Amino acid sequence: IIDKSIDLIGENKDSTIIDSGGTGDVIYVSADLVNISEFTIQNCGSKWFDGGIELISNNSNIFNNKIILNNYAGIRMWKSSNNTIYANNFEQNSFVSVWLLGGCLNNEINDNEIINNNIGIKLENGSNNNIIKQNNISNNSALYSLQSTTYHVQHALQVHNNISNHSVLYSNFTIMCSMHTSCN
């Protein structure tokens, strides 16, 4: 549990492992201005509210981590704004790699490897004006954004994302592709 502004830095993301043993969140962040880097974060619980990182925070950075192996959600963000999620590896998360819900605003998700998960990125319930760019998003079952009757999700899935090999793309994203981008 991180409830104050800190920098949490592992020695090496391949050998510094935080494992919750299949129960609850691996890391729960409720403070603003938190930086987390250089960890493998794995084995959170299997309920919809469990995450490798549960982020209820503003102005925080999650970077250069391996968020893999049996997390329900790699990063689950709730009412969190102005955060940056970059240079992380998301693999084998059973529900979703990055999940923004409950009014997550102005976050940036960039330069991540999001491969072999159920859902690559899920944005919903008033999570608006988030920037998603320069990610390799492939071999997930789906990549999507939801719209509800109460909230409207507005995003631009920006140039230079490599988006490929999804069985389904549900979206009200504006998808802009460049010549170097596969938008299958």
Side-chain angles (χ1 to χ4, degrees):
I1 296 174
I2 299 174
D3 57 4
K4 60 183 177 181
S5 298
I6 65 166
D7 293 338
L8 184 64
I9 303 168
E11 184 175 329
N12 179 299
K13 69 181 177 181
D14 294 313
S15 61
T16 310
I17 299 169
I18 304 174
D19 189 317
S20 75
T23 305
D25 297 314
V26 181
I27 299 173
Y28 179 88
V29 179
S30 61
D32 294 341
L33 300 168
V34 171
N35 296 305
I36 300 173
S37 65
E38 294 295 333
F39 289 98
T40 292
I41 300 164
Q42 64 186 28
N43 293 324
C44 78
S46 59
K47 296 184 176 129
W48 75 271
F49 47 81
D50 292 332
I53 297 176
E54 176 81 18
L55 192 65
I56 305 170
S57 175
N58 300 305
N59 302 302
S60 292
N61 297 295
I62 311 297
F63 61 98
N64 204 30
N65 295 287
K66 288 175 70 175
I67 300 171
I68 60 170
L69 300 176
N70 301 320
N71 289 308
Y72 184 75
I75 294 178
R76 183 178 179 274
M77 297 171 64
W78 174 260
K79 295 184 179 181
S80 297
S81 297
N82 303 308
N83 298 292
T84 304
I85 311 297
Y86 67 95
N88 299 288
N89 294 346
F90 295 90
E91 296 179 28
Q92 301 173 9
N93 293 292
S94 63
F95 181 61
V96 63
S97 289
V98 182
W99 188 7
L100 282 67
L101 68 159
C104 292
L105 305 172
N106 304 312
N107 297 288
E108 188 169 312
I109 302 166
N110 69 57
D111 196 30
N112 296 286
E113 293 287 323
I114 301 173
I115 301 169
N116 296 322
N117 303 280
N118 185 31
I119 297 171
I121 299 173
K122 182 175 182 179
L123 303 111
E124 62 181 315
N125 295 340
S127 293
N128 296 318
N129 302 317
N130 295 290
I131 297 170
I132 302 167
K133 65 179 183 179
Q134 297 176 336
N135 296 287
N136 182 17
I137 305 169
S138 64
N139 296 321
N140 304 291
S141 297
L143 169 71
Y144 66 93
S145 163
L146 294 178
Q147 175 180 338
S148 73
T149 56
T150 307
Y151 300 101
H152 182 72
V153 183
Q154 301 169 349
H155 309 282
L157 189 57
Q158 297 189 354
V159 177
H160 303 301
N161 286 294
N162 177 15
I163 304 168
S164 60
N165 300 323
H166 298 285
S167 58
V168 156
L169 173 64
Y170 300 102
S171 179
N172 64 340
F173 285 112
T174 300
I175 300 177
M176 298 177 288
C177 296
S178 70
M179 291 181 358
H180 305 291
T181 302
S182 169
C183 288
N184 303 7

